[in-house]
Structure formats: C-alpha cells, structure tokens
Amino acid sequence: MAVDYAVIVVYLAGMLAMGWWGMRRAKSKSEFLVAGRRLGPWMYSGTMAAIVLGGASTIGGVGLGYQYGLSGAWMVFTIGLGLLALSIFFSARIARLKVYTVSEMLDLRYGGRAGLISGVVMWAYTLMLAVTSTIAYATIFDVLFDMNRTVAIILGGAIVVAYSTLGGMWSITLTDMVQFVVKTIGVLLLLLPIAVIKAGGFSEMKAKLPTEYFDPLGIGGETIFTYVLIYTFGMLIGQDIWQRVFTARTDRTARWGGTVAGTYCLVYALAGAVIGTAAKVMYPKLPSADSAFATIVKDELPVGVRGLVLAAALAAVMSTSSGALIACATVANNDIWSKLRGVVSRGRGDEHDEVKGNRVFILIMGVGVIVIAIALNNVVEALTVAYNLLVGGLLVPILGGLLWRRGTAAGALAAVSVGGVAVIGLMATYGILANEPVYYGLLASLAVYVIVSLATKPTDAAVLVAWRERLAGKGADSDETAPESVTV
C-alpha cells in the first residue's frame, strides 16, 4: 500500500498548497466569496460538477447500484436533472443579480423583509450538508489507514477547513477543479471499465443477476418521485449551488457551463450504478451496500490505481464539504450575523475587514462541523433533515419570487415558517426517513404562500422595478474591481 499512501499524501498536500495560493488572490469580499465572479466556462463546469457530486453520489451511488442495479442511478440522475433545470431556466437571471446569498435575492424580490428567517433555514441546511460530507472521511480513511473514526474526521475536516479558510472560493475553485479531474480519471476512466471486466462483462452480469437489476424503474416509482422532489428541486435553491452560479463570468457561462456539468452528472450516475452492479456479481453477500465501493477498490485494483481511485472518492467528499462549508459561513455572516447587528455589510466598510470577517466565520463553522460530525452517526438521517428543511421551507418562496409577480413578503415569510415547522413536526410524527414530511410540508408551504400573498397588499411597485432591473443585470452596486477574467 506504500504507493497508494504516497498518492493520497501528495493529493492532500496539493490541496493545502492550493489553499495557500488562493489566499494570495482573495483580496476582496467578491474574490473571497465568489471568486471575483469571473470563472470561464470550463473552470465553471468542472467546479460545479465537483460540488454536486460528493461522497453520497460516489460511495452512495455505487451502493445503490449494488442494492438495486441500474435503477440505483436515479438518485444521482435526479441531481443532474436539477442542475440542468437550474442552468437552462434560472442560472442566467441568478448570475445577473450580483448577490452573495439566496436570502439577499429574497430581500431584493420581496423588499428586504424575508432574509433573516430564510437565512436561518438555509444555514441549517448547509450546516448539515457539511456535516454529512465530513462524516464520510471516516469511511475513506478507515479503508486507507485503518484509522480511528474521530481521528479520520478531524484529519479530513481540518484539511478542508484549512484551505477554505485561507483562500475562500478561490482556493475551493482551484481544488475542486483538481478534484473534478481526479474523479473523472479515477471513477469513469479506471474503476468503471475495470469493474465491468472483473465481473465478466455485461453478458455475465445479466446471467448472474435477477432481471430487476436491469429494470430502469426497479428502485420504485415512489422512490424516484421522492428523489426528484428532494434532489432535483434542492439543486434549484441550495446556497451551495447558487454560490457557484455567482462565480460565473457571464450569464452565458452560467447557462452553458452548468448544462455541461449537469450532463456530466447523468453520465456519473450511470457509471456508479454499473460499478455497483458489477460489485454485486463479484461480492454477492456484502454486509452493507455502502461498503461495495471500498471493497471493489481494495480487492480488485492494482497498486497505484487503487490510490488514485481512493483519492477520487476523497476528492468527491472534499468538494462537497468545502462548498457546503463556505456556503454555511457566508449565510451565517452575511444573512444572520450582519442582520442581527443591524449592519448591511455589502459594499460597505474596509474590504480587508470583509475578507477577515468571512475567514473567521469559515473557521468557526468548520470547527463546529467537525464537532457535530464526531457526535453524529447517521449520515442518511442528517442529509434527509437538511434537504427536507431546504425544500419544505424555501422552494416555494424562491421559485414563487422568480416566477409569480403577485407573491409578497408576507406570503414568503409565511411559506418559510409554515413549511419549515411542518417538515420538522411531520418528521417527528412519521420518522425522519419517511416521504410524507417533505410531501405535506411542501404542499403546506405552497398553500400558505398563495393564500397570504393574495390576502395582503401587493409588493411595492418600486421594489418590483428594482427587482426587474437587477434581473436584467442593471443597477447592481458591486464591490468588484473587474480584474481580468479567468477563461479556462
């Protein structure tokens, strides 16, 4: 394993080096939080694909393939569909707003009264997303070094916190681009063909497995519908995803670069399911489906290649973890702390202090994430809570603000409050992993949003005029200095 260890150590050292390099570029709030809004199409595509394809998409995607066959691709497939929908229908308008958070968008649309409570819900979502990604380090480092769970979480989390704190979005963008390349080589170009060959090819796989393993809908219609509701819609409104949209140099970059990333996700989804199906042929009685990825990597890959593929899994976890961490810190600082202090930070104050303040929040949130990850065991439950809160509380007011002129601030606040409380209450009643909480919570949020909006005074005409100007790319007071574009 010495060669494999060397590959992993070099990879981790490279992540820290890029964090140091990113620190030298992140001189303003815009550069620190959204990479100066100047990523070109290829870098934007790579980093967007990196953040949405995390440990759940890689290790979990293979596990679903092991359990359900090709239909196990649906979870990651719906993530890709969500990214495609966001990129084609909404990303251009989102990029033109020139904001930093989803809550800022809500404030612009509804007149400055919806941001704080939506910020709290978004913060809870990004926090739990960062926690679930951090927990995944334990699985990977256990395979690599037979490491204690707590030590693994601290080691992996500390590296992500370090490079994220140093350079903000610049460091995360650079590391995500490397992680995208590593994942592509490790999973698509190496593990996928090797797994299929070791399983005897598709004909042998079909001969040894039940026919339902090759049924595209074998996982079940209700499960697919729930994936669409949670992951496809979750991609439309998550701060971690929107913050990447804000990095695009132009709205065209956001649209087409995101479309490329979404298409890549669809391919990645199918690859994970095929790898899991091949693992089922080779190891029909594994104790856990989620161990399929680690088992096939450890037992079937040659020296060096094994290290690269494990680095790919580590890359998948790190990209999601760092993206969720900076999103969590951005929301905590700009949407919650600044409002509680009564200070509007955007475009005011010393730029160095802006960067310093956001850096401190990343460090604080990062330490908190590591502590919670150590105390928490059930990754699936934590991730379900995060997405249920996000979709149940924020989907309606966000999409309503983008699509329905008659929506009001009172309707948005009611939708966030009722949807969020309903989801939490229904999870307590039906269970965290039940489908009903997000179904009924979303319906309650929609009903309240429409009823309250129609029952209250329409949004002030001046607010809507300013909103339309921002959607058209006009009137945004910007703190950017418009340096040269990054076009790669």
Side-chain angles (χ1 to χ4, degrees), residues 64-150:
L64 287 172
Y66 182 89
Q67 189 172 359
Y68 298 104
L70 297 186
S71 67
W74 272 106
M75 184 187 77
V76 184
F77 202 82
T78 55
I79 290 174
L81 292 178
L83 186 52
L84 284 171
L86 174 70
S87 302
I88 294 170
F89 299 113
F90 300 108
S91 63
R93 284 184 284 177
I94 292 170
R96 286 196 293 265
L97 289 173
K98 294 290 190 285
V99 294
Y100 292 102
T101 68
V102 174
S103 295
E104 283 185 58
M105 167 264 171
L106 291 173
D107 277 347
L108 282 171
R109 168 59 181 83
Y110 295 111
R113 291 172 289 172
L116 180 58
I117 188 170
S118 64
V120 172
V121 174
M122 188 64 77
W123 173 78
Y125 157 72
T126 53
L127 178 70
M128 295 310 294
L129 186 61
V131 167
T132 57
S133 301
T134 303
I135 292 173
Y137 296 129
T139 301
I140 298 171
F141 281 113
D142 178 56
V143 174
L144 287 171
F145 308 115
D146 194 23
M147 187 178 290
N148 175 269
R149 178 182 184 275
T150 298

Side-chain angles (χ1 to χ4, degrees), residues 272-290:
V274 171
I275 292 168
T277 304
K280 183 68 176 179
V281 173
M282 291 183 278
Y283 310 98
K285 297 188 185 221
L286 288 178
S288 167
D290 283 341

Side-chain angles (χ1 to χ4, degrees), residues 324-375:
L325 176 60
I326 194 171
C328 178
T330 301
V331 171
N333 188 21
N334 293 271
D335 292 337
I336 300 175
W337 178 242
S338 293
K339 284 185 171 64
L340 291 176
R341 290 187 306 155
V343 175
V344 179
S345 61
R346 195 186 188 310
R348 299 186 184 180
D350 181 76
E351 279 296 305
H352 178 73
D353 290 340
E354 291 271 14
V355 173
K356 182 179 178 181
N358 283 291
R359 192 171 272 142
V360 168
F361 265 86
I362 290 180
L363 181 60
I364 293 172
M365 292 297 110
V367 172
V369 164
I370 292 172
V371 171
I372 296 172
I374 292 171

Side-chain angles (χ1 to χ4, degrees), residues 77 80-81 83-84 256-269:
F77 202 82
L81 292 178
L83 186 52
L84 284 171
W256 294 110
T259 300
V260 171
T263 304
Y264 178 91
C265 292
L266 303 183
V267 175
Y268 200 89

Side-chain angles (χ1 to χ4, degrees), residues 137-342:
Y137 296 129
T139 301
I140 298 171
F141 281 113
D142 178 56
V143 174
L144 287 171
F145 308 115
D146 194 23
M147 187 178 290
N148 175 269
R149 178 182 184 275
T150 298
V151 175
I153 289 173
I154 292 173
L155 175 60
I159 292 171
V160 170
V161 171
Y163 73 69
S164 300
T165 302
L166 286 172
M169 187 59 81
W170 265 124
S171 294
I172 293 170
T173 295
L174 294 169
T175 54
D176 277 0
M177 199 63 197
V178 173
Q179 288 158 1
F180 169 74
V181 173
V182 171
K183 278 192 287 191
T184 301
I185 295 173
V187 175
L188 296 185
L189 301 184
L190 292 176
L191 183 58
L192 174 61
I194 290 174
V196 172
I197 291 170
K198 293 279 187 177
F202 285 104
S203 58
E204 188 70 13
M205 290 163 62
K206 286 185 176 181
K208 290 187 175 180
L209 294 174
T211 55
E212 55 263 29
Y213 263 73
F214 301 92
D215 180 359
L217 303 178
I219 199 170
E222 184 179 354
T223 299
I224 295 170
F225 178 73
T226 303
Y227 284 158
V228 171
L229 201 60
I230 294 178
Y231 296 114
T232 300
F233 286 128
M235 288 295 106
L236 297 180
I237 58 176
Q239 169 67 26
D240 51 325
I241 309 302
W242 277 41
Q243 198 157 343
R244 293 309 173 97
V245 176
F246 300 151
T247 66
R249 177 161 50 101
T250 65
D251 54 11
R252 182 179 175 84
T253 296
R255 181 184 295 114
W256 294 110
T259 300
V260 171
T263 304
Y264 178 91
C265 292
L266 303 183
V267 175
Y268 200 89
L270 185 57
V274 171
I275 292 168
T277 304
K280 183 68 176 179
V281 173
M282 291 183 278
Y283 310 98
K285 297 188 185 221
L286 288 178
S288 167
D290 283 341
S291 65
F293 180 90
T295 302
I296 196 170
V297 169
K298 194 172 183 179
D299 293 351
E300 302 297 336
L301 299 186
V303 172
V305 173
R306 180 171 50 209
L308 183 59
V309 173
L310 286 172
L314 194 58
V317 175
M318 282 188 160
S319 56
T320 301
S321 180
S322 59
L325 176 60
I326 194 171
C328 178
T330 301
V331 171
N333 188 21
N334 293 271
D335 292 337
I336 300 175
W337 178 242
S338 293
K339 284 185 171 64
L340 291 176
R341 290 187 306 155

